Amino acid sequence: MIKFHPSEQQLVLYAAGELSPAMLMMVGTHVDMCKQCQAQVQDIEEQMARKLFGENNFADYQANSLDSKTHDAMLAAIFASTAPVAEPSPPQPHDNLLYLEGKRFTLPATLARNSHRIGDWSRLPGKLWRASVDIGAEQSLNFIYMGEQSTVPEHTHKGNEATLVINGVFSDEQGDYKDGDFVLLDGAHKHSPHTTHEDCLTLAALDAPLHFTTGLSRLLNPFSSLFFK
Ligand SMILES: [Zn+2]
């Protein structure tokens, strides 16, 4: 059961195609995983269609009993530009699978469509792995894989950090985050994500490097650039 969702405002911006490339990918992947947000996005798209057609025309258009397939197709055409894909890529075998350390993860549709953007895994200190996703923007989007019993040192953010759990569980001072949970933290938050008995694959978007705050981990501040690349 997903506990943490993007805000309504983020879903509106997503439906309108107005999120940054990194956030389009993050919110799109959450929506792939979340029935509740799928329904909400559908509502938002319908409201946008009403605005586009005008209320009366929209009523006519509905009364003309276009079957729901046509309706869907029209909406799809209108909102085709909102799909979080910068360019189409031909489907390839195993596109929706991600491999790391003998493990295999199934990617939600948005990520599977963008799998050609996923770089190689590199190992970070302490059971952490990173693979960047090339979104051709100022922002940084990375898969972060946390092995069992691993910890990302406590840090704050100069900008926003959005994290989406793709598979597994991680915890911080606020609670536990599981498959599909979407967490947005701003510079005011300080946290140290960790795993216990389960590993965790996340997708993380940063709009500025991490800033490690405590003791020895302050020495790791150069390490934050590893996350930010
Ligand atoms: Zn949701």
mmCIF file of all heavy atoms in Angstrom, residues 2 4-6 11 30-31 34-38 180, ligand 1:
data_model
loop_
_atom_site.group_PDB
_atom_site.id
_atom_site.type_symbol
_atom_site.label_atom_id
_atom_site.label_comp_id
_atom_site.label_asym_id
_atom_site.label_seq_id
_atom_site.Cartn_x
_atom_site.Cartn_y
_atom_site.Cartn_z
ATOM 1 N N ILE A 2 0.712 2.080 -1.015
ATOM 2 C CA ILE A 2 1.539 3.283 -1.123
ATOM 3 C C ILE A 2 1.037 4.349 -0.137
ATOM 4 O O ILE A 2 -0.150 4.654 -0.102
ATOM 5 C CB ILE A 2 1.508 3.820 -2.570
ATOM 6 C CG1 ILE A 2 2.128 2.779 -3.509
ATOM 7 C CG2 ILE A 2 2.236 5.160 -2.664
ATOM 8 C CD1 ILE A 2 2.054 3.147 -4.980
ATOM 9 N N PHE A 4 2.901 7.470 0.444
ATOM 10 C CA PHE A 4 3.360 8.825 0.124
ATOM 11 C C PHE A 4 3.216 9.076 -1.380
ATOM 12 O O PHE A 4 3.749 8.317 -2.189
ATOM 13 C CB PHE A 4 4.812 9.010 0.558
ATOM 14 C CG PHE A 4 5.027 8.767 2.026
ATOM 15 C CD1 PHE A 4 5.415 7.514 2.489
ATOM 16 C CD2 PHE A 4 4.806 9.780 2.950
ATOM 17 C CE1 PHE A 4 5.597 7.275 3.846
ATOM 18 C CE2 PHE A 4 4.993 9.562 4.312
ATOM 19 C CZ PHE A 4 5.385 8.308 4.749
ATOM 20 N N HIS A 5 2.492 10.139 -1.710
ATOM 21 C CA HIS A 5 2.167 10.447 -3.110
ATOM 22 C C HIS A 5 2.685 11.841 -3.471
ATOM 23 O O HIS A 5 2.879 12.680 -2.593
ATOM 24 C CB HIS A 5 0.639 10.423 -3.299
ATOM 25 C CG HIS A 5 0.005 9.147 -2.853
ATOM 26 N ND1 HIS A 5 -0.248 8.104 -3.705
ATOM 27 C CD2 HIS A 5 -0.425 8.753 -1.630
ATOM 28 C CE1 HIS A 5 -0.808 7.106 -3.030
ATOM 29 N NE2 HIS A 5 -0.922 7.472 -1.768
ATOM 30 N N PRO A 6 2.834 12.122 -4.770
ATOM 31 C CA PRO A 6 3.127 13.508 -5.169
ATOM 32 C C PRO A 6 1.944 14.400 -4.753
ATOM 33 O O PRO A 6 0.835 13.902 -4.586
ATOM 34 C CB PRO A 6 3.214 13.439 -6.702
ATOM 35 C CG PRO A 6 3.393 11.991 -7.027
ATOM 36 C CD PRO A 6 2.752 11.213 -5.918
ATOM 37 N N LEU A 11 0.787 16.694 -9.583
ATOM 38 C CA LEU A 11 0.034 15.883 -10.555
ATOM 39 C C LEU A 11 -0.541 16.771 -11.665
ATOM 40 O O LEU A 11 -0.584 16.369 -12.827
ATOM 41 C CB LEU A 11 -1.078 15.093 -9.859
ATOM 42 C CG LEU A 11 -0.600 13.972 -8.925
ATOM 43 C CD1 LEU A 11 -1.788 13.287 -8.254
ATOM 44 C CD2 LEU A 11 0.257 12.949 -9.664
ATOM 45 N N HIS A 30 5.879 7.076 -10.544
ATOM 46 C CA HIS A 30 4.965 6.876 -9.413
ATOM 47 C C HIS A 30 3.550 6.573 -9.927
ATOM 48 O O HIS A 30 2.903 5.641 -9.437
ATOM 49 C CB HIS A 30 4.931 8.106 -8.496
ATOM 50 C CG HIS A 30 3.870 8.001 -7.431
ATOM 51 N ND1 HIS A 30 4.075 7.366 -6.227
ATOM 52 C CD2 HIS A 30 2.578 8.394 -7.434
ATOM 53 C CE1 HIS A 30 2.954 7.380 -5.532
ATOM 54 N NE2 HIS A 30 2.028 8.011 -6.230
ATOM 55 N N VAL A 31 3.097 7.350 -10.908
ATOM 56 C CA VAL A 31 1.741 7.160 -11.443
ATOM 57 C C VAL A 31 1.612 5.750 -12.038
ATOM 58 O O VAL A 31 0.589 5.085 -11.863
ATOM 59 C CB VAL A 31 1.390 8.263 -12.469
ATOM 60 C CG1 VAL A 31 0.088 7.942 -13.211
ATOM 61 C CG2 VAL A 31 1.267 9.613 -11.753
ATOM 62 N N CYS A 34 0.848 3.584 -9.091
ATOM 63 C CA CYS A 34 -0.167 4.006 -8.105
ATOM 64 C C CYS A 34 -1.538 4.198 -8.746
ATOM 65 O O CYS A 34 -1.741 5.157 -9.488
ATOM 66 C CB CYS A 34 0.299 5.292 -7.432
ATOM 67 S SG CYS A 34 -0.870 5.937 -6.223
ATOM 68 N N LYS A 35 -2.484 3.294 -8.429
ATOM 69 C CA LYS A 35 -3.836 3.381 -8.990
ATOM 70 C C LYS A 35 -4.526 4.687 -8.586
ATOM 71 O O LYS A 35 -5.235 5.307 -9.368
ATOM 72 C CB LYS A 35 -4.674 2.194 -8.502
ATOM 73 C CG LYS A 35 -4.255 0.865 -9.094
ATOM 74 C CD LYS A 35 -5.466 0.171 -9.700
ATOM 75 C CE LYS A 35 -5.120 -0.806 -10.798
ATOM 76 N NZ LYS A 35 -3.871 -1.534 -10.676
ATOM 77 N N GLN A 36 -4.315 5.085 -7.325
ATOM 78 C CA GLN A 36 -4.950 6.297 -6.805
ATOM 79 C C GLN A 36 -4.537 7.523 -7.627
ATOM 80 O O GLN A 36 -5.374 8.325 -8.033
ATOM 81 C CB GLN A 36 -4.522 6.468 -5.343
ATOM 82 C CG GLN A 36 -5.194 7.604 -4.599
ATOM 83 C CD GLN A 36 -4.654 7.700 -3.174
ATOM 84 O OE1 GLN A 36 -4.403 6.671 -2.516
ATOM 85 N NE2 GLN A 36 -4.446 8.914 -2.688
ATOM 86 N N CYS A 37 -3.247 7.666 -7.886
ATOM 87 C CA CYS A 37 -2.783 8.822 -8.653
ATOM 88 C C CYS A 37 -3.160 8.693 -10.129
ATOM 89 O O CYS A 37 -3.401 9.699 -10.798
ATOM 90 C CB CYS A 37 -1.281 9.032 -8.470
ATOM 91 S SG CYS A 37 -0.883 9.685 -6.824
ATOM 92 N N GLN A 38 -3.255 7.452 -10.648
ATOM 93 C CA GLN A 38 -3.739 7.275 -12.025
ATOM 94 C C GLN A 38 -5.131 7.870 -12.158
ATOM 95 O O GLN A 38 -5.433 8.592 -13.113
ATOM 96 C CB GLN A 38 -3.799 5.786 -12.392
ATOM 97 C CG GLN A 38 -2.472 5.196 -12.830
ATOM 98 C CD GLN A 38 -2.477 3.670 -12.824
ATOM 99 O OE1 GLN A 38 -3.523 3.040 -13.010
ATOM 100 N NE2 GLN A 38 -1.319 3.084 -12.619
ATOM 101 N N GLY A 180 6.779 2.274 -4.464
ATOM 102 C CA GLY A 180 5.859 3.295 -4.958
ATOM 103 C C GLY A 180 5.831 4.568 -4.129
ATOM 104 O O GLY A 180 5.316 5.582 -4.580
HETATM 105 ZN ZN ZN B 1 0.050 8.016 -5.728
#
